[in-house]
Structure formats: structure tokens, C-alpha cells
Amino acid sequence: MKYFSTIISLSKIFVYNKSPGYVKTLLKKLNDNYTVPELTLDYVDYCNVFMYNMLITNTTLTSLSLHKYRFTNNNTIACISEALKVNTTLTELNIYGPISDYNLINISEALTVNTTLIKLNLHINSIFNVKGLIYVAGFLMFN
């Protein structure tokens, strides 16, 4: 008897308005991802540990976009920053939403260690982040 199999190769995943449980499951599955280079998550919160684990084990993802997160209320950015210190495949990080000075400092410190990230888009909507942006700019010379 002959068996046929289908190999599915995805190039992008966009997740919009899904529950945290759904996104946590997706992030777990992406730990062993070998095909998806681009991931966009929208309106998802509290997936810190899952995001960190995915970024330190995944060897295919090159672009991560996070839209409309509430970064001032959780540790998602801190977890991403820690993962950036060891991640060697992510070349683009896009963050759309308010980011606290504390989280901008975390990103800045990760930039001193990470050598693969070449594109960082911070779409910030609050004036209180001027101090954090100055801090990021100071660390860019070390990247």
C-alpha cells in the first residue's frame, strides 16, 4: 500500500483578535517551526513566557510584529528583550503600541548583545517615551 503525504509550507502567520490561550498554543507550536519566517500578532496579551521560549528555540522566524499590545501592563517586552540576547535568527522586530521607558531600556540593553537584528520599528504613541527613545538611540551605536 502506498501512502501519500502533503507538506505544507507557510511563509507568514497573521493572528488577529484571538484569545490568549489560542496564541499561547500557537507560540508553543512555533518552538519547533521550520517553515514560518514571519509572525504578526494583534491584540494579544499575557503570553510572556511563551513568547520568550519561542524566540529562544525557534530557528526560522526572521520577522516578528506585535500590534496594539498593552506593553505598559505586562512583561512581554522584557521577555522579548531577554530572548533577543540569545536569538540569532530574528532580523526584524516591529512593535506597534505604547511602550514604557522601562521596556525601551530593556530593548536597548538587548541591542548591545544581539548582532542579527537589523530592523527595529517602534511605533510609540505617547510623549512620555522621549527619555526611553534617547536611551535606545544611545545603545544603537553598540549594535
Side-chain angles (χ1 to χ4, degrees):
M1 184 178 281
K2 194 171 188 177
Y3 293 96
F4 294 95
S5 65
T6 302
I7 298 174
I8 298 173
S9 179
L10 299 173
S11 62
K12 295 179 184 181
I13 295 178
F14 297 93
V15 178
Y16 295 101
N17 297 320
K18 293 294 181 183
S19 70
Y22 176 89
V23 174
K24 288 175 185 178
T25 301
L26 174 66
L27 292 173
K28 281 186 201 177
K29 295 294 182 187
L30 287 174
N31 285 345
D32 298 321
N33 166 46
Y34 299 107
T35 62
V36 181
E38 187 175 330
L39 175 63
T40 299
L41 299 174
D42 188 34
Y43 285 111
V44 180
D45 218 345
Y46 304 106
C47 296
N48 309 333
V49 174
F50 299 95
M51 184 74 70
Y52 172 81
N53 288 336
M54 187 268 301
L55 286 173
I56 64 169
T57 59
N58 183 295
T59 58
T60 307
L61 192 70
T62 58
S63 177
L64 176 62
S65 296
L66 306 172
H67 293 255
K68 300 173 183 136
Y69 270 67
R70 295 181 297 269
F71 297 117
T72 54
N73 298 329
N74 67 44
N75 295 320
T76 301
I77 297 297
C79 288
I80 290 171
S81 298
E82 283 302 309
L84 283 176
K85 293 178 182 177
V86 295
N87 180 285
T88 59
T89 59
L90 200 66
T91 59
E92 181 178 350
L93 177 59
N94 303 297
I95 301 173
Y96 302 86
I99 304 170
S100 68
D101 289 341
Y102 170 78
N103 284 328
L104 285 171
I105 290 168
N106 285 332
I107 292 171
S108 301
E109 291 171 352
L111 293 176
T112 62
V113 179
N114 183 289
T115 58
T116 57
L117 194 69
I118 57 174
K119 188 174 182 182
L120 175 63
N121 293 317
L122 301 173
H123 299 272
I124 302 165
N125 301 320
S126 302
I127 193 68
F128 71 92
N129 288 306
V130 171
K131 177 183 171 187
L133 285 175
I134 292 169
Y135 201 79
V136 170
F139 274 97
L140 285 175
M141 67 179 146
F142 298 108
N143 182 286

